[in-house]
């Protein structure tokens, strides 16, 4: 069977999560560079979002679905624990990252920095400033939780960490969020722990166009 393909751009948080899943699982994969809403992506995801995945006759959209396939179709360490409580905790945190932290950290804050939509491409200070109070609350929550255990969903690495790491990578690089990271020692310790893994090091994203992050 041909190698599993992860289709998307290496700067994308969600593409990075899928690549981390492959590496953690020990699955050889090929990164096929593609931007959202291009024909190779649209052929798999009607919403045009990256990543998409192909493996032989299997074509999938949605990062969690892709990672579930990788976790279940191959031998290797489980990305989601196999016991009911461990599995549910990992799912809970993945959902919280995707429906909570991602909306504020990425869709409000990082998008206003990198893709403001302003005519000159300048950061949108109004949207950045509007995101900061909620970001502070979220960092306080994360710091409390990561003070209780070594990884987001328990005492060992799970897919939940692979969803949070790419977001935190960019949060460490932008000025306001970097201050919040610095003020969150348990987040820093967690980041250093997860970022030291080969899966994180091998997927370090190239710089974002124009902003040096
Ligand atoms: N729910 C999707 C979200 C993927 C996503 O939003 N990817 C971004 C790049 S990080 C994208 O394709 N954005 C383009 C768009 O939303 O139109 C998933 O989990 O895969």
């Amino acid at each position: 069977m041909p190698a599993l393909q992860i289709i998307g751009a290496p700067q994308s948080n969600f593409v990075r999560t899928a690549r981390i899943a492959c590496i953690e699982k020990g699955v050889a994969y090929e990164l096929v560079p593609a931007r959202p809403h291009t024909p190779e992506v649209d052929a798999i995801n009607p919403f045009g979002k990256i990543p998409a995945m192909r493996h032989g006759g299997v074509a999938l959209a949605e990062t969690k679905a892709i990672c579930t396939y990788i976790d279940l179709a191959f031998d290797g360490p489980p990305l989601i624990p196999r016991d009911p409580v461990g599995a549910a905790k990992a799912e809970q945190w993945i959902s919280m990252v995707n429906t909570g932290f991602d909306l504020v950290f990425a869709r409000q804050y990082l998008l206003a920095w990198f893709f403001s939509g302003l005519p000159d491409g300048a950061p949108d200070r109004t949207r950045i400033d509007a995101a900061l109070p909620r970001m502070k609350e979220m960092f306080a929550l994360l710091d409390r939780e990561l003070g209780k255990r070594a990884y987001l969903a328990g005492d060992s690495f799970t897919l939940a960490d692979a969803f949070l790491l790419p977001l935190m990578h960019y949060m460490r690089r932008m000025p306001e969020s970097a201050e919040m990271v610095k003020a969150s020692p348990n987040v820093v310790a967690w980041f250093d722990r997860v970022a030291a893994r080969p899966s994180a090091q091998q997927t370090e994203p190239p710089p974002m166009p124009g902003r040096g992050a």
Side-chain angles (χ1 to χ4, degrees), residues 162-173:
F163 271 88
L164 184 60
L165 177 79
L167 262 181
M168 204 50 75
H169 167 88
Y170 288 115
M171 299 305 273
R172 288 171 74 250
R173 279 172 160 65

Side-chain angles (χ1 to χ4, degrees), residues 12-15 36-37 47-51 61-64 98 107 163:
S12 153
N13 290 339
F14 287 102
V15 170
H37 310 288
F47 297 116
K49 290 177 191 283
I50 53 174
E62 287 295 321
T63 311
K64 176 57 178 57
N98 286 341
R107 315 280 159 169
F163 271 88

Side-chain angles (χ1 to χ4, degrees), residues 148-172:
K148 298 177 191 167
R149 52 192 177 272
Y151 295 91
L152 188 55
D155 295 330
S156 54
F157 178 91
T158 70
L159 190 56
D161 300 292
F163 271 88
L164 184 60
L165 177 79
L167 262 181
M168 204 50 75
H169 167 88
Y170 288 115
M171 299 305 273
R172 288 171 74 250

